[in-house]
Amino acid sequence: QFIQAEKITKDINPIYGSIQKLHSGWGQSGDLVALCEDRILKILANKDALFNADGNTNVTATSKVLGTATPYSGEFGISENPESFASEAYRAYFTDKVRGAVIRLSMDGLTAISDHGMKDWFRDNLKLSNRLIGSYDDKKDEYNITLDQPDRIVQTGSSNMIIVNDSATVTFKENVKGWVSFKSFLPEHANSCANEYYTYLGGNLWKHHVEVIDPITNLEIDRNTFYGEFTPSSLKVVLNDMP
């Protein structure tokens, strides 16, 4: 039912840029999160905030669908990359390409998780990427962000040139509060379902974390093989020879 005298839309301050994504059922109270280009806002759902004269907030039930829109502290948004968003329980992850940061939204607000040892790397590489594909791996409890970068030509000699692609998938893990690995797979999209992690390439669905012997097909599965291509593991160690 649409009554002409009543508003049916919610206005957001245009200084925050366009709304790139809406995420509902957020946190414990089921509020709505609006991810704008330059700011992240929490919009009360099925309740409204009433303010006393002393500035304290009383929350009361109301017939309004959407109530007060309150921006989170922190000058971060999602830029124009809603595909980088991934959520798990009360946490959400996304990138801010303009500010060169990867952000986590949790119960304590916004945190730039790219500052955990990868600040310069993300600041240099996010701006060069065409797409930023984010996903959450429920089986390993990891946030994977894929930086899809275009090919570039590098001159190796007076007349020799090679084509280089710097696309990468990087993994953040909560229990170590840091970025734990570069992955060799570069998906078009990814998601978790029923505690399994799947990625897509060329319209095909690929299941990850399969045991060496597949219990269903009884076939041997090669480790480190993604999309039919084997990539050896490597470990780079940074040592300080000063005591």
Side-chain angles (χ1 to χ4, degrees), residues 9-184:
T9 61
K10 184 72 180 176
D11 295 328
I12 300 298
N13 193 334
I15 198 173
Y16 300 146
S18 62
I19 298 176
Q20 294 290 311
K21 184 176 179 62
L22 295 173
H23 183 58
S24 62
W26 170 250
Q28 304 294 327
S29 55
D31 292 324
L32 180 70
V33 175
L35 296 101
C36 303
E37 293 180 52
D38 301 313
R39 207 68 187 268
I40 310 299
L41 301 98
K42 179 177 73 172
I43 304 175
L44 300 181
N46 289 319
K47 51 187 174 294
D48 200 9
L50 302 179
F51 294 92
N52 297 333
D54 57 2
N56 293 327
T57 305
N58 289 325
V59 179
T60 180
T62 177
S63 59
K64 292 182 179 180
V65 176
L66 298 178
T68 304
T70 306
Y72 285 96
S73 60
E75 298 293 330
F76 294 110
I78 200 172
S79 297
E80 295 182 345
N81 301 101
E83 73 276 7
S84 67
F85 182 89
S87 63
E88 180 271 335
Y90 57 89
R91 299 188 187 98
Y93 304 86
F94 54 91
T95 62
D96 190 345
K97 182 178 179 180
V98 173
R99 294 159 187 83
V102 183
I103 310 300
R104 178 189 64 209
L105 174 60
S106 187
M107 303 299 288
D108 57 352
L110 297 173
T111 305
I113 58 175
S114 53
D115 291 350
H116 298 319
M118 296 280 284
K119 183 175 182 178
D120 289 339
W121 190 88
F122 278 113
R123 187 167 289 177
D124 294 337
N125 287 274
L126 284 178
K127 60 184 178 182
L128 302 176
S129 303
N130 292 329
R131 291 194 310 148
L132 302 168
I133 304 140
S135 60
Y136 193 85
D137 186 347
D138 284 344
K139 193 163 189 175
K140 297 295 183 180
D141 293 327
E142 297 172 340
Y143 171 66
N144 294 324
I145 178 68
T146 299
L147 287 72
D148 183 15
Q149 298 189 4
D151 295 335
R152 59 187 180 91
I153 299 177
V154 177
Q155 188 167 355
T156 58
S158 57
S159 59
N160 297 328
M161 291 185 294
I162 59 174
I163 298 177
V164 176
N165 189 286
D166 295 323
S167 298
T169 298
V170 199
T171 297
F172 180 83
K173 201 171 181 67
E174 280 291 339
N175 61 359
V176 298
K177 295 292 189 292
W179 301 88
V180 295
S181 179
F182 283 86
K183 302 290 181 65
S184 59

Side-chain angles (χ1 to χ4, degrees), residues 196-210:
E196 296 289 352
Y197 185 62
Y198 301 92
T199 63
Y200 306 83
L201 185 68
N204 294 318
L205 180 67
W206 298 79
K207 181 180 178 181
H208 290 242
H209 312 310
V210 178

